[in-house]
Amino acid sequence: MATAVATPLVTDPTTGPIRSAQEVVPADLWDKQVGLLMRDYPYDSVMAARVLGQGYAYLLTAMNHRGHALGLAPSKIVDIGVHTIILDTVAYATLCERFNGGHFLHHVPDVDFKNDGSVLRTADLIAADGWEVDLPLWADAADCGPCHPGNDSH
């Protein structure tokens, strides 16, 4: 099983502190979800932690901008992390309670993928919100973003 390691807070003189999603997730839950990713995908613990971290950064950013109808969209690989988080429904409900004012952030996928730049705009917003962005995990942005735009969902 993966072991949670404290990630140091990185400070950039231009953007200020950069937060790691692992800072807000209980260590036992983080380890469990890294383990689920390793079980279900061909990831080692490092890759699983990267995907999970970006999934959390995406969801926490979506929650922070609830009601703004921004049309946020994860990349295909970040969406794997998102699904790992939201399928752990008890923990996800707790996340929504803690970071989304008690409102459940629904998952409303569209059938068709889109190629409108929304994924990279989402990565930019995540960074602007102060979360660490693992840019290589956002690189598959050409055919992406199958989430329903313009509502309070992801």
Side-chain angles (χ1 to χ4, degrees), residues 125-137:
L125 184 61
I126 290 168
D129 272 13
W131 296 108
E132 179 179 67
V133 173
D134 189 340
L135 220 50
L137 298 186

Side-chain angles (χ1 to χ4, degrees), residues 17-110:
I18 298 175
R19 300 178 292 172
S20 169
Q22 191 172 355
E23 297 168 10
V24 299
V25 179
D28 58 336
L29 177 60
W30 182 270
D31 288 347
K32 173 187 171 186
Q33 291 176 336
V34 165
L36 290 169
L37 281 165
M38 291 170 56
R39 180 194 73 188
D40 296 341
Y41 297 92
Y43 299 157
D44 61 15
S45 62
V46 172
M47 184 62 173
R50 289 175 62 199
V51 170
L52 186 63
Q54 293 302 282
Y56 271 108
Y58 168 78
L59 288 170
L60 292 166
T61 298
M63 290 175 185
N64 188 45
H65 295 277
R66 180 172 52 91
H68 298 176
L70 297 175
L72 302 180
S75 67
K76 288 179 185 178
I77 196 164
V78 172
D79 201 38
I80 291 170
V82 169
H83 287 173
T84 298
I85 297 161
I86 67 175
L87 289 174
D88 194 347
T89 59
V90 173
Y92 181 60
T94 300
L95 186 77
C96 290
E97 181 69 33
R98 184 174 169 202
F99 291 100
N100 203 33
H103 299 276
F104 194 82
L105 181 65
H106 292 279
H107 184 56
V108 184
D110 280 344

